[in-house]
Every structure is written in structure tokens, then in C-alpha cells.
Amino acid sequence: GHTHDYRVTSVGIERDAEVMKDKLDKFIQWLMKEKGSDLYRSKGVLAVKGLKNKFVFQAVHMQFGGKPQDLWGEGEKRRCKMVFIGKNLNREELIRNFDACIAR
């Protein structure tokens, strides 16, 4: 039988950690290339190691936009939060690949 799941689902990832910029760039490339057609929308606010600004990104299908925005506040916890919305999303794969970006 067919096991394709055409329902739209969302995968959320939240981490109290920072990501490495070079690894994040690779993750986003992978996302757009491999997952672009299944992803309807993705958005995130990320703490990038070495960046004083929040890195905000959103993508609709293969159109990606990302740029440093507001500064993190004085007592604000630097963390990463992302949401992916699409069909056939593999939660484990998304989480595994995102976690590979985290600064140790």
C-alpha cells in the first residue's frame, strides 16, 4: 500500500544553545535543495555564535531570506527556535540535521 503522507504537518525545534554560522549555512542549503518542494514555510529566530544580532530567517518553498536583525537583549537568553511546515516532513531527520549545527 501507499505510505505517502500528504497531510501538512509542522515540526518545531527549540534549543537553549547557539549554532555555528558555517554549519547553519549548510543546513539551510540542504533544506532548500532537498526539502524545498515539500516545505511550504519555515521560519526561525536563531542565536548564532559570535553574532550579537538575532538571525531571523524565513523561507517559502525555495525562496529563502535570512538576515541578522534585532540585538539580543541584556538579560535575554540566547536560544534557537524554528518551525517547519510542509508535507512528508521527516521530524527525526530535520532535528538531527539541525542539531548538527549547534555550537558545542
Side-chain angles (χ1 to χ4, degrees):
H2 285 291
T3 51
H4 278 298
D5 187 350
Y6 292 110
R7 285 174 311 176
V8 172
T9 55
S10 73
V11 175
I13 303 176
E14 292 190 42
R15 295 287 181 265
D16 287 329
E18 297 179 318
V19 291
M20 306 292 287
K21 182 73 170 75
D22 54 341
K23 292 183 177 173
L24 177 66
D25 290 340
K26 285 199 185 78
F27 173 75
I28 291 169
Q29 276 171 6
W30 167 79
L31 207 59
M32 296 297 107
K33 195 170 131 245
E34 303 292 329
K35 307 292 160 196
S37 51
D38 287 338
L39 270 177
Y40 296 141
R41 206 182 147 74
S42 38
K43 53 184 190 214
V45 179
L46 306 173
V48 176
K49 195 173 177 66
L51 265 190
K52 290 184 167 62
N53 304 66
K54 297 178 181 182
F55 184 82
V56 178
F57 92 79
Q58 39 189 349
V60 178
H61 285 296
M62 319 236 191
Q63 297 300 308
F64 167 77
K67 55 183 191 297
Q69 289 191 348
D70 309 335
L71 291 168
W72 289 91
E74 272 300 303
E76 200 178 358
K77 196 167 174 57
R78 291 176 62 97
R79 53 201 305 269
C80 295
K81 189 174 178 178
M82 304 189 76
V83 180
F84 304 100
I85 299 164
K87 65 181 198 300
N88 307 320
L89 295 184
N90 181 332
R91 177 182 294 268
E92 286 72 31
E93 185 186 35
L94 284 168
I95 291 173
R96 190 175 62 244
N97 283 331
F98 179 75
D99 280 346
C101 302
I102 288 175
R104 300 288 167 206

